[in-house]
C-alpha cells in the first residue's frame, strides 16, 4: 500500500535491533485518516471472505482493528494480556512472547466472544517473529472457530514471522513489507507487492 509505505519513509524511525518506530502515526499518536485507508484496503483484500469478527491483541492492534471493523461491519474482540491466568474455564488462554519487551505473557479471551461458528480475521499492527499471531491463531482454534485470514499493517520481512505464518497455509496480507532497514542511514527497503 503506497500511502503507508510513503508514511513509513517519511515518519518512521529505524532503531537498532530491528525495531521500527512509528509512534507519530500508528503506535502512540494515531492518524485516523490513514487508519481508514488501511481499513478500506483490508476490506478490499479480504472481500472474498465471509468474515463475521475481527480479533486483535491489546494494546496497539485495537485502533486499526476497530477502524477496519467499520468497513467489514463486524465486532472486534481483543485478546487481553492477563496478570494471572484465570483457571475457572471461562477463558481460552495462550502464551505470547513479546517482541518489544521480551517478556512472556498469558493472553486470554473470554469463551463468550469466540465461538465455533466464528469466521475470524486477525488484525495487528506489526509482524516480527510471529509469536503474537501464533498465539492468536491458537486462541481461535481452541474455540473451534476458523481463521479466515490475517491482516498486518507492517511486516518486517527480514524477521521470520511472515514465512512461519504463510507456511501454516493461513492467508496473510501485509499492507507494507519492510525487507531491509538500516539504523545508521535510516534507509528502508520495501518488498514489491
Ligand atoms: P511478533 O510477535 O511478531 O514477534 O511481534 C509482534 C508484536 O510486536 C506487534 O504486535 C507489535 O506490537 C510489536 N512489534 C514487533 N516489532 C515491532 C517494531 O519494529 N516496531 C513496533 N513499533 N512494534 C513492533
Amino acid at each position: 500500500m503506497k500511502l503507508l509505505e510513503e508514511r513509513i519513509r517519511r515518519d518512521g524511525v529505524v532503531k537498532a535491533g530491528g525495531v521500527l518506530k512509528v509512534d507519530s502515526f500508528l503506535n502512540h499518536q494515531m492518524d485516523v485518516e490513514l487508519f481508514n485507508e488501511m481499513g478500506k484496503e483490508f476490506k478490499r483484500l479480504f472481500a472474498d471472505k465471509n468474515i463475521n469478527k475481527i480479533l486483535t491483541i491489546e494494546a496497539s492492534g485495537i485502533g486499526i482493528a476497530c477502524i477496519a471493523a467499520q468497513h467489514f461491519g463486524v465486532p472486534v474482540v481483543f485478546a487481553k494480556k492477563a496478570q494471572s491466568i484465570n483457571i475457572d474455564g471461562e477463558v481460552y488462554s495462550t502464551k505470547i512472547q513479546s517482541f518489544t519487551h521480551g517478556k512472556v505473557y498469558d493472553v486470554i479471551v473470554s469463551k463468550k466472544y469466540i465461538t465455533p461458528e466464528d469466521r475470524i480475521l486477525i488484525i495487528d499492527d506489526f509482524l516480527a517473529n510471529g509469536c503474537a499471531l501464533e498465539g492468536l491463531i491458537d486462541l481461535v482454534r481452541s474455540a473451534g472457530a476458523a481463521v479466515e485470514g490475517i491482516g498486518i499493517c507492517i511486516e518486517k520481512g527480514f524477521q521470520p514471522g511472515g514465512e512461519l505464518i504463510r507456511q501454516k497455509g493461513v492467508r496473510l496480507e501485509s499492507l507494507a513489507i519492510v525487507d531491509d532497514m538500516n539504523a545508521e542511514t535510516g534507509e528502508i527497503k520495501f518488498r514489491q507487492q
Side-chain angles (χ1 to χ4, degrees), residues 7-29 99-101 125-126 154 156 158 178 181 183 186 188:
R7 193 59 181 273
I8 295 168
R9 267 224 170 87
R10 199 183 83 191
D11 294 334
V13 181
V14 182
K15 297 283 190 186
V19 171
L20 177 64
K21 285 283 247 183
V22 286
D23 279 7
S24 65
F25 62 94
L26 182 61
N27 288 136
H28 194 11
Q29 175 169 257
F99 178 88
T100 32
H101 305 111
D125 59 340
F126 266 91
I154 306 174
K156 290 184 293 180
F158 55 90
V178 175
M181 59 186 203
I188 299 174

Side-chain angles (χ1 to χ4, degrees), residues 137-186:
I137 292 169
D138 185 40
L139 288 175
V140 173
R141 294 192 172 154
S142 305
V147 178
E148 292 293 327
I150 299 177
I152 294 291
C153 300
I154 306 174
E155 174 180 336
K156 290 184 293 180
F158 55 90
Q159 288 165 348
E163 179 87 19
L164 189 87
I165 299 296
R166 290 186 180 95
Q167 272 172 4
K168 289 179 187 287
V170 180
R171 166 115 160 256
L172 167 63
E173 301 279 3
S174 299
L175 302 184
I177 304 181
V178 175
D179 264 342
D180 196 16
M181 59 186 203
N182 185 318
E184 267 150 42
T185 61

